[in-house]
């Protein structure tokens, strides 16, 4: 019964798993590069761009191989498919940059105040833990973390729809 259920929803299950892996890759790349850059100007924007490039490449490979299992016969088909994938992801790349620019770089203080992030004790409890403190140990860092999470949820949904309907769309003869 579980096997039958898995087969029925395999594509969605695999997309969620690979999407989760892509999100982990994104966060490692984003916050790893963010930690390396420290407090330089536009560090959040640069880290977002680096993470998107790495995550998009990872997503293309895993979506092609494990989710949509799309085979191509020629280099031309592969190029067209990859171009379509990267073009679609460019939209969500820009969405991520826009969210970072607006909510992290430009209006961070507004959202820190709105969500009372400046009232949290960042030196005690879970926030005092090494890596957590480096990633979320200030109102600004926590604000960035929250918006990056929300951004990734939106991106996951948009990318699935685009990949399914455009990039890895099966030819009529593959549907039977």
């Amino acid at each position: 019964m579980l096997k039958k259920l898995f087969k029925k929803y395999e594509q969605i299950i695999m997309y969620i798993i690979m999407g989760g892996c892509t999100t982990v890759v994104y966060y490692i790349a984003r916050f790893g590069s963010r930690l390396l850059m420290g407090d330089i100007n536009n560090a959040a924007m640069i880290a977002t761009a680096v993470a998107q490039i790495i995550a998009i490449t990872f997503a293309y490979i895993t979506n092609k191989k494990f989710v949509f299992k799309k085979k191509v016969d020629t280099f031309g088909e592969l190029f067209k498919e990859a171009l379509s994938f990267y073009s679609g992801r460019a939209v969500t790349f820009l969405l991520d940059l826009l969210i970072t620019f607006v909510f992290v770089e430009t209006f961070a203080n507004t959202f820190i105040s709105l969500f009372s992030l400046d009232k949290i004790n960042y030196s005690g409890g879970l926030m005092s833990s090494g890596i957590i403190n480096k990633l979320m140990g200030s109102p600004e860092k926590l604000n960035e973390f929250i918006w990056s999470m929300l951004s990734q949820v939106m991106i996951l949904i948009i990318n699935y729809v685009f990949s399914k309907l455009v990039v890895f769309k099966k030819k009529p003869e593959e549907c039977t």
Side-chain angles (χ1 to χ4, degrees):
M1 169 140 152
L2 275 174
K3 200 173 195 178
K4 189 176 181 181
L5 207 54
F6 177 78
K7 267 295 188 208
K8 183 176 181 179
Y9 296 105
E10 178 180 5
Q11 193 176 76
I12 293 171
I13 292 167
M14 291 306 295
Y15 187 80
I16 291 168
I17 291 169
M18 292 301 118
C21 291
T22 301
T23 302
V24 169
V25 167
Y26 172 86
Y27 278 112
I28 290 170
R30 180 171 178 158
F31 290 105
S33 58
R34 187 76 170 86
L35 290 172
L36 290 173
M37 287 184 276
D39 292 329
I40 67 168
N41 284 342
N42 297 315
M45 294 291 288
I46 296 166
T48 300
V50 167
Q52 279 290 344
I53 291 166
I54 292 169
I56 288 169
T57 301
F58 179 84
Y60 175 68
I61 294 165
T62 57
N63 281 335
K64 179 172 181 49
K65 185 170 177 73
F66 301 112
V67 178
F68 299 104
K69 299 177 182 176
K70 183 87 178 352
K71 305 247 189 279
V72 292
D73 297 324
T74 67
F75 178 76
E77 288 176 313
L78 178 66
F79 181 77
K80 183 179 174 187
E81 177 186 87
L83 183 63
S84 177
F85 185 86
Y86 280 92
S87 296
R89 295 295 167 109
V91 171
T92 54
F93 180 102
L94 294 173
L95 174 65
D96 198 16
L97 286 174
L98 178 66
I99 288 169
T100 301
F101 178 75
V102 171
F103 298 100
V104 176
E105 295 283 346
T106 308
F107 297 108
N109 290 333
T110 302
F111 293 98
I112 288 168
S113 182
L114 181 68
F115 298 127
S116 299
L117 301 179
D118 52 344
K119 308 276 190 272
I120 295 172
N121 177 7
Y122 292 96
S123 59
L126 185 63
M127 288 298 190
S128 65
S129 171
I131 191 75
I132 292 174
N133 189 268
K134 287 183 180 180
L135 295 176
M136 297 182 274
S138 70
E140 294 77 19
K141 289 177 183 177
L142 184 56
N143 182 63
E144 180 179 349
F145 188 81
I146 290 167
W147 286 108
S148 69
M149 293 282 284
L150 293 172
S151 173
Q152 288 308 295
V153 169
M154 288 186 283
I155 287 169
L156 184 76
I157 295 165
I158 293 167
N159 285 340
Y160 177 76
V161 171
F162 186 77
S163 289
K164 177 144 179 84
L165 298 179
V166 179
V167 179
F168 299 110
K169 183 179 175 183
K170 295 212 183 277
K171 296 175 187 169
E173 64 271 10
E174 294 175 314
C175 293
T176 56

